Amino acid sequence: MALKVGMPRSLAYYTYFPLWNTFFKELGVEVLLSNESNKQVLDQGVKETVNDACVPIKMYHGHVKDLMEKVDYLFIPRLVSLDGEETVCPKFLGLPDMVRYSIDGLPPIIDNRLDLRKGKLEFWKFFYRIGRKLDKSFWKILMSYRAAWDKFNKYQSLLLKEYSPQEAWELIDKDQSRGDKIQQKGDITIALLGYPYTIYDPYISVGLLDNLKKMNVKVLTKDNVPSVDLLRQRKKFAKEMFWYYSNQVVRSALYYLEKPRVDGVIHVTAFGCGPDAMVDKFVELECKHSGVPFLTLSLDEHTGEAGMNTRVEAFVDMLKRKRG
């Protein structure tokens, strides 16, 4: 019987799922995802997490609880630097320890460290150590690593064609990774900015992405911006922030405001997120400077769908009237 590795459907899952999932499957390991986010998962997480954690961290703990009795290992990597320069936020850095000391009775955790500041070979070393932990041979690990990157590159290509992560995963599963660029239509265009685990998790974001599309809005996100254009925006910073995902949000905001390319900007932030206290104000000031309307949506475990929809509908109506 194949080993089962549990992967919580939260946080970096929205960035790296095709890479990690393909690697484990090519190794001959069964990957089990937690259920999609829902109230029960969140309630479980709230019970287990420290009080001052943001809602994505609470949700992550709920996903761990959902998986822990179904798998042989939990995959909770210690992500430190994803681009070789910046780090992720402190709660990401300590995530394996936070989970380990918050929840009793866990199966063994695969918590290998990924810190690309140590050099270009760190990604390979990261996967090699995981493969050896699962008692796989060098060649099996190497072939799995190559297959994983092939799938991940196709995934990123689809995101640039304006597919959502879910749509991209489905196309890759059907071996249709050469999908044409989506021709989104809409009365107006909105940049929906925030961390992948807030804007793409339909429960945390209260279905915001789909609701905007139903309002005939063309929605663009950070993942639709080529990495070379994000790096170009970096030169506009007098001083960068420490955190990878925060800088990605700010750079994508500057990209969309450059011409500007959008009619409005919505920034989705999680209540209690320390880095977002700066990111939100920075994006607001840049929008004001560019004359582009801006809306902040702050989410927590008590966010109600009706209140959220009312604010978003009012913002969209205002943009449509402004456009005429």
Side-chain angles (χ1 to χ4, degrees):
M1 184 180 294
L3 281 175
K4 284 185 184 177
V5 170
M7 198 177 296
R9 199 189 292 253
S10 187
L11 297 182
Y13 158 85
Y14 289 98
T15 305
Y16 288 115
F17 171 68
L19 183 69
W20 294 337
N21 182 54
T22 306
F23 178 72
F24 283 119
K25 284 191 170 180
E26 291 294 322
L27 283 181
V29 174
E30 183 180 348
V31 175
L32 186 63
L33 287 174
S34 51
N35 285 317
E36 292 187 1
S37 298
N38 55 46
K39 187 176 186 308
Q40 183 181 1
V41 171
L42 179 57
D43 286 347
Q44 286 182 327
V46 169
K47 286 180 185 174
E48 302 292 346
T49 322
V50 294
N51 289 335
D52 61 348
C54 60
V55 66
I57 293 292
K58 293 174 180 173
M59 185 65 85
Y60 193 90
H61 282 66
H63 282 285
V64 170
K65 285 283 288 185
D66 184 63
L67 280 170
M68 58 182 282
E69 295 180 356
K70 307 172 186 173
V71 297
D72 302 301
Y73 290 91
L74 281 167
F75 180 58
I76 308 177
R78 189 182 304 280
L79 303 181
V80 178
S81 176
L82 304 177
D83 66 351
E85 296 186 28
E86 303 137 8
T87 64
V88 288
C89 87
K91 287 170 184 168
F92 263 96
L93 301 179
L95 190 61
D97 298 325
M98 195 186 305
V99 169
R100 185 177 284 119
Y101 294 113
S102 297
I103 303 176
D104 294 327
L106 293 174
I109 296 177
I110 300 173
D111 61 350
N112 292 69
R113 179 187 179 98
L114 179 61
D115 184 356
L116 298 187
R117 293 174 304 177
K118 292 184 176 180
K120 293 181 180 178
L121 290 177
E122 274 305 298
F123 243 125
W124 158 246
K125 293 177 181 175
F126 170 75
F127 283 108
Y128 178 74
R129 290 168 186 145
I130 293 172
R132 292 303 301 151
K133 184 175 286 187
L134 298 176
D135 203 23
K136 304 298 179 182
S137 69
F138 173 86
W139 291 110
K140 187 70 174 175
I141 297 169
L142 180 61
M143 297 304 289
S144 303
Y145 175 75
R146 287 179 175 174
W149 273 104
D150 180 58
K151 281 278 179 71
F152 189 59
N153 288 334
K154 290 174 180 174
Y155 170 69
Q156 291 191 307
S157 173
L158 289 170
L159 293 182
L160 292 177
K161 292 176 181 176
E162 300 181 10
Y163 288 91
S164 70
Q166 186 64 41
E167 291 168 337
W169 298 333
E170 290 173 1
L171 283 174
I172 289 174
D173 279 345
K174 296 175 184 173
D175 201 19
Q176 297 175 357
S177 53
R178 292 185 178 178
D180 296 328
K181 183 180 173 82
I182 287 183
Q183 299 297 323
Q184 283 196 71
K185 294 180 180 178
D187 299 331
I188 55 171
T189 302
I190 287 179
L192 181 63
L193 304 181
Y195 306 135
Y197 45 90
T198 55
I199 63 174
Y200 295 132
D201 186 320
Y203 187 80
I204 289 181
S205 70
V206 202
L208 179 59
L209 192 60
D210 286 340
N211 285 340
L212 282 170
K213 290 180 179 177
K214 289 175 185 173
M215 295 176 202
N216 208 24
V217 173
K218 178 179 177 180
V219 183
L220 299 173
T221 69
K222 183 275 293 179
D223 292 309
N224 304 137
V225 184
S227 56
V228 65
D229 288 320
L230 289 177
L231 283 175
R232 188 166 52 80
Q233 299 300 329
R234 181 181 183 179
K235 298 175 182 174
K236 297 180 179 178
F237 280 146
K239 180 177 175 56
E240 291 193 304
M241 287 177 280
F242 300 111
W243 311 287
Y244 171 79
Y245 281 118
S246 301
N247 281 326
Q248 296 284 301
V249 170
V250 172
R251 290 172 194 168
S252 57
L254 293 174
Y255 172 81
Y256 285 125
L257 295 171
E258 197 169 44
K259 288 188 176 177
R261 296 176 165 90
V262 293
D263 298 288
V265 172
I266 296 178
H267 181 220
V268 180
T269 177
F271 179 76
C273 174
D276 263 359
M278 287 168 274
V279 172
D280 189 66
K281 194 62 183 177
F282 187 90
V283 176
E284 180 187 352
L285 291 174
E286 288 297 319
C287 286
K288 187 175 181 181
H289 178 72
S290 302
V292 173
F294 172 76
L295 174 68
T296 297
L297 295 175
S298 182
L299 308 172
D300 66 11
E301 60 266 38
H302 304 297
T303 300
E305 187 171 359
M308 169 80 83
N309 288 343
T310 300
R311 294 189 65 198
V312 173
E313 286 171 7
F315 186 66
V316 169
D317 284 346
M318 183 270 292
L319 293 180
K320 288 182 177 178
R321 286 170 185 262
K322 184 171 182 280
R323 187 121 191 226

